[in-house]
């Protein structure tokens, strides 16, 4: 089974590219989706977060806005939160990979925003980076509800520079050239890796 690590900085189109892999029948583990679910439903994760950031749990659920206000711009707080979340994500990834192996999948994708930053690329056979010009990235991100230039700056400060990601990647998916061009590249990657 071939494991492809998929990544891309905020606003680069990674979610759209992941959807393309999914539509082509490739099983995907979405680290972001797991984190959202864990913060909403996992009692162990919720308890650890509440112990670290008292007051962010309301009616048994984490208030994501309150948590964000506590960690964004505070490297120490973000590192502490990641120390809770990253091991939980990894356990879920391993369970996903085990299930895929039992089904004899030929190719799976691990969709991990901080693939290189967390050295998760070392667990993958190949890596793919979704990229777009900085002006496209900025335009996409600043259209999101609640996003500000300051928030974007803080997020980008925690992510590896796009140029370094593309330098390290085995495959590059350019989302700034339109969906058709990106889909063509995704199809090429799937065809190639399924036939290894």
């Amino acid at each position: 089974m071939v494991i492809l690590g998929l990544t891309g900085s905020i606003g680069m189109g990674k979610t759209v590219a992941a959807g393309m892999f999914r539509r082509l029948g490739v099983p995907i583990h979405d680290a972001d989706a797991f984190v959202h679910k864990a913060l909403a439903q996992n009692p162990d994760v919720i308890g650890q977060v509440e112990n670290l950031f008292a007051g962010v749990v309301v009616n048994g659920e984490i208030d994501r806005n309150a948590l964000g206000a506590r960690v964004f711009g505070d490297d120490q707080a973000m590192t502490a939160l990641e120390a809770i979340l990253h091991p939980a994500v990894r356990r879920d990834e391993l369970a996903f990979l085990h299930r895929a192996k039992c089904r004899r999948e030929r190719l799976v994708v691990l969709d991990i925003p901080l693939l290189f930053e967390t050295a998760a690329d070392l667990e993958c056979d190949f890596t793919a980076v979704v990229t777009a010009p900085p002006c496209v990235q900025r335009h996409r991100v600043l259209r999101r509800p609640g996003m500000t230039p300051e928030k974007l700056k803080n997020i980008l400060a925690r992510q590896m520079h796009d140029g370094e990601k593309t330098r390290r990647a085995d495959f590059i998916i350019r989302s700034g050239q339109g969906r058709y061009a990106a889909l063509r590249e995704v199809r090429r990657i799937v065809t190639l890796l399924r036939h290894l």
Side-chain angles (χ1 to χ4, degrees):
M1 180 175 74
V2 175
I3 302 172
L4 175 67
L6 178 67
T7 195
S9 297
I10 185 170
M12 292 298 196
K14 180 179 61 63
T15 301
V16 172
M20 292 174 181
F21 280 101
R22 195 173 279 113
R23 283 191 295 282
L24 293 172
V26 180
I28 295 185
H29 183 274
D30 183 335
D32 267 353
F34 172 79
V35 166
H36 285 274
K37 185 176 177 182
L39 289 172
Q41 301 174 8
N42 185 313
D44 184 48
V45 169
I46 292 170
Q48 289 182 63
V49 171
E50 173 65 11
N51 286 339
L52 199 57
F53 304 103
V56 300
V57 175
V58 179
N59 297 325
E61 292 186 11
I62 292 175
D63 179 333
R64 293 179 58 83
N65 290 330
L67 180 60
R70 298 275 293 274
V71 300
F72 284 119
D74 183 338
D75 288 346
Q76 192 172 4
M78 184 63 83
T79 299
L81 178 62
E82 289 173 346
I84 295 169
L85 297 175
H86 289 176
V89 170
R90 185 61 184 150
R91 285 190 298 273
D92 197 65
E93 283 172 356
L94 290 172
F96 164 83
L97 292 172
H98 176 73
R99 291 189 302 271
K101 191 172 185 180
C102 289
R103 290 192 312 267
R104 298 178 188 253
E105 297 287 353
R106 296 185 62 81
L107 172 64
V108 297
V109 170
L110 298 182
D111 177 349
I112 306 173
L114 300 176
L115 181 75
F116 295 115
E117 294 87 338
T118 61
D121 60 306
L122 300 177
E123 306 298 324
C124 301
D125 299 303
F126 299 94
T127 59
V129 169
V130 185
T131 188
C135 60
V136 172
Q137 176 191 34
R138 184 173 177 79
H139 176 73
R140 288 173 178 169
V141 176
L142 291 179
R143 287 187 348 211
R144 296 180 182 184
M147 185 56 69
T148 65
E150 185 64 27
K151 280 185 183 178
L152 174 58
K153 181 182 174 184
N154 287 334
I155 292 168
L156 291 175
R158 294 199 59 79
Q159 296 182 343
M160 182 181 290
H161 187 272
D162 183 59
E164 179 61 17
K165 287 182 182 182
T166 56
R167 188 187 70 73
R168 292 185 184 198
D170 297 299
F171 303 101
I172 299 171
I173 302 166
R174 299 187 191 284
S175 72
Q177 299 174 354
R179 286 182 187 242
Y180 181 75
L183 178 58
R184 189 171 57 234
E185 183 59 21
V186 169
R187 279 192 178 129
R188 186 184 76 79
I189 294 167
V190 170
T191 300
L192 177 67
L193 297 184
R194 276 184 172 157
H195 292 93
L196 287 181

